[in-house]
């Protein structure tokens, strides 16, 4: 994508792959997939995630379980918006609303 092209031009390593289950974007598939990509880097805890829409939710949920250097959110939501697909994806309700995810 465009961001990957820009990062490549600046000699910034990046990984951009098609995600499994793109229609439903299920948490139980996306979080392990993101972790597998992070494990391809020099330091899995030193990644910066860029997530759009459901990918933004996946990035936030990833950070509830694993360390990340940073996260860039694009068009993120804070609820399932009443959408059955979003609800079924498993990102809501959000964990950490009690502040327990502040250690990352």
């Amino acid at each position: 994508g465009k961001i990957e092209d820009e990062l490549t031009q600046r000699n910034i390593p990046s990984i951009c792959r098609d995600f499994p289950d793109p229609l439903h974007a299920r948490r139980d598939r996306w979080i392990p997939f993101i972790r597998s990509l992070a494990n391809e880097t020099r330091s899995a805890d030193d990644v910066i995630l860029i997530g759009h829409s459901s990918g933004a939710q996946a990035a936030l949920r990833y950070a509830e379980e694993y360390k990340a250097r940073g996260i860039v959110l694009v068009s993120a939501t804070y609820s399932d918006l009443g959408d059955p697909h979003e609800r079924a994806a498993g990102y809501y309700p959000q964990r950490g609303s009690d502040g327990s995810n502040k250690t990352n």
Side-chain angles (χ1 to χ4, degrees):
K2 189 169 184 159
I3 292 174
E4 182 185 25
D5 293 342
E6 185 67 30
L7 292 172
T8 300
Q9 286 179 5
R10 295 171 185 244
N11 293 319
I12 299 171
S14 65
I15 299 172
C16 182
R17 305 258 172 79
D18 291 333
F19 275 49
D21 190 35
L23 178 61
H24 299 291
R26 284 174 250 210
R27 177 186 189 139
D28 64 347
R29 296 184 188 169
W30 278 29
I31 304 307
F33 182 74
I34 295 170
R35 186 61 178 174
S36 73
L37 296 177
N39 284 332
E40 292 181 20
T41 68
R42 286 179 286 146
S43 174
D45 293 342
D46 197 33
V47 297
I48 298 172
L49 304 174
I50 302 173
H52 171 260
S53 191
S54 293
Q57 285 305 318
L60 287 170
R61 303 296 78 86
Y62 176 91
E64 290 175 348
E65 298 179 33
Y66 304 103
K67 290 192 177 290
R69 176 170 285 240
I71 301 173
V72 178
L73 304 175
V74 181
S75 297
T77 62
Y78 63 90
S79 76
D80 62 25
L81 304 173
D83 183 279
H85 278 291
E86 291 293 333
R87 192 171 305 116
Y91 297 111
Y92 306 98
Q94 297 176 359
R95 289 186 258 171
S97 58
D98 62 354
S100 61
N101 61 347
K102 288 185 177 181
T103 59
N104 189 359

